[in-house]
Amino acid sequence: MLKRSGFLGIGLSFGLGFIPAIATAAELAPLGSAADLQASEATTVEAAEQPLSTEPILQAQADPASPADAATAETTQLLPVPPVRLFNLETANQLPAGKFDVSAGFRWFFEDSVPGSGLQVFIGDVQYGVNDKLQIGFGGFYFDDNLAEPIAGGVAGTLNGQPFGAKLRLGSIGPSAKYQVYKSEDWAISVAASLEFLRVFRDSTPGLFGQGGEFDTVTLAGGLQVPITYTVSPEFQLTLNPGVSFFPGSVGGGDFYGTYFNIGAGFNFQPVRYVGIFSDINVPLGPGGNAVQASTGAIEKAVVWSSGLRINPVPELSLDFYATNAFGTTLATRSLAFVPGASQVALGTAVTVRF
């Protein structure tokens, strides 16, 4: 009643001021019926009592993102997809469904005491994301050179007065698969496995994998790993990777690597859009070994490492530049140290295209 009386008072005040105009209007048009006037008055009162809706205002306030949210979204868009692999270490990140990664590169162990242009390991790999959980691939590496130093006294020749060792061909090729068994906002766990054809050739120089006699054999090797990746931030991840590599216990009548468990660890850090810093290590635990001792030719254990940069000029292209003492690049062989021992360091490079 109070609201209605107020509105009627306001109406009377305005009505008195506009009596002449109303009178003129009355002469031009007939007044409505009493029922029409009551209906009009009721509509006016109902509209006045209806509360003012704030929904458009609240919606407009909720839509714009805060500056912090906008900065976070921009940073996330600028970062590339987290790496499915470091240089010698598998992560629990998966290749997106329907995407291919095609990689090629080489590692160069700089040595002046061997014939030719040095010691090169050639690399090739293709990976495909079947879905967001399953990734399959096919890859390999190949080495064909005289070793930089004799093993167990076996000298194949000299260059510039320096002796060099046996001629070794070592390569591995085969399929692999990785399946993500767990994924949360911070943690991811995958299982990766490979089955590989391993070729081993050694000339008649004694000392490496036996005491003499040329042999050329193809055998099977394999790897099983369980990478566990923790995302500290969108820019920084840590990975722990326990695994096992399977090799024959002997080839050509001499000792070979056998089966050994190992544990790997590494990190990937993306401080800016275009450059990532990667580093990893693999520590063999036995019972076999991952290295060849130069003085005796015995199979031993050695820590394998790598460290370097990955450059992403565009999200679909990455360029690797790194240093490592690792020999192979497949799931089974990337924890092998270069022969002999683990003291020789290679500079590695690779290009990966995603489409």
Side-chain angles (χ1 to χ4, degrees):
M1 288 298 294
L2 291 175
K3 290 183 180 180
R4 182 169 181 177
S5 300
F7 278 104
L8 289 175
I10 294 172
L12 286 174
S13 299
F14 278 94
L16 290 174
F18 290 96
I19 287 175
I22 294 173
T24 304
E27 294 176 356
L28 298 175
L31 291 173
S33 66
D36 292 339
L37 291 175
Q38 290 178 357
S40 176
E41 183 181 18
T43 302
T44 304
V45 172
E46 183 180 355
E49 291 181 346
Q50 184 70 26
L52 181 63
S53 174
T54 59
E55 183 177 354
I57 297 175
L58 294 176
Q59 184 66 34
Q61 291 176 347
D63 285 343
S66 66
D69 292 341
T72 301
E74 182 180 359
T75 301
T76 303
Q77 291 174 359
L78 288 177
L79 290 174
V81 176
V84 297
R85 181 185 306 160
L86 307 183
F87 303 124
N88 292 315
L89 192 74
E90 204 73 30
T91 72
N93 301 317
Q94 299 288 128
L95 194 63
K99 293 292 186 180
F100 280 94
D101 269 5
V102 180
S103 303
F106 66 92
R107 294 173 179 177
W108 192 352
F109 293 84
F110 293 91
E111 292 291 342
D112 296 330
S113 60
V114 293
S117 57
L119 308 173
Q120 292 91 26
V121 178
F122 298 96
I123 306 164
D125 185 71
V126 178
Q127 297 290 322
Y128 175 66
V130 178
N131 52 50
D132 290 337
K133 292 289 187 181
L134 177 62
Q135 172 184 323
I136 60 174
F138 192 89
F141 81 97
Y142 190 68
F143 172 84
D144 184 2
D145 270 313
N146 282 90
L147 299 177
E149 60 182 291
I151 296 177
V155 177
T158 60
L159 181 68
N160 299 325
Q162 297 293 321
F164 57 86
K167 184 174 183 61
L168 172 65
R169 294 191 189 110
L170 183 66
S172 183
I173 189 170
S176 64
K178 183 168 67 170
Y179 184 78
Q180 191 176 74
V181 297
Y182 177 77
K183 180 74 170 70
S184 69
E185 183 178 353
D186 300 325
W187 292 92
I189 302 174
S190 295
V191 176
S194 70
L195 179 63
E196 306 170 19
F197 293 96
L198 184 73
R199 182 190 179 187
V200 187
F201 166 85
R202 187 209 64 194
D203 65 13
S204 58
T205 305
L208 176 65
F209 306 136
Q211 293 303 312
E214 181 178 302
F215 69 87
D216 189 354
T217 184
V218 175
T219 185
L220 290 177
L224 178 65
Q225 298 178 2
V226 185
I228 305 166
T229 297
Y230 175 63
T231 301
V232 181
S233 70
E235 301 84 10
F236 185 53
Q237 287 184 325
L238 298 172
T239 294
L240 183 69
N241 191 343
V244 58
S245 291
F246 305 95
F247 295 99
S250 64
V251 294
D255 291 339
F256 203 56
Y257 298 111
T259 295
Y260 62 87
F261 293 89
N262 74 288
I263 186 163
F267 72 87
N268 54 284
F269 176 49
Q270 191 84 25
V272 295
R273 165 63 186 86
Y274 298 104
V275 180
I277 302 171
F278 294 179
S279 188
D280 57 68
I281 62 170
N282 275 290
V283 181
L285 304 176
N290 69 327
V292 177
Q293 189 178 89
S295 59
T296 65
I299 301 298
E300 60 179 3
K301 302 176 185 67
V303 173
V304 171
W305 58 270
S306 68
S307 186
L309 303 177
R310 179 166 294 171
I311 300 174
N312 293 96
V314 294
E316 297 79 16
L317 176 67
S318 64
L319 306 172
D320 291 347
F321 302 95
Y322 61 96
T324 186
N325 68 337
F327 201 164
T329 61
T330 62
L331 197 71
T333 63
R334 65 178 63 137
S335 58
L336 294 178
F338 192 68
V339 180
S343 60
Q344 298 177 81
V345 177
L347 295 181
T349 184
V351 56
T352 301
V353 179
R354 177 167 295 177
F355 59 93

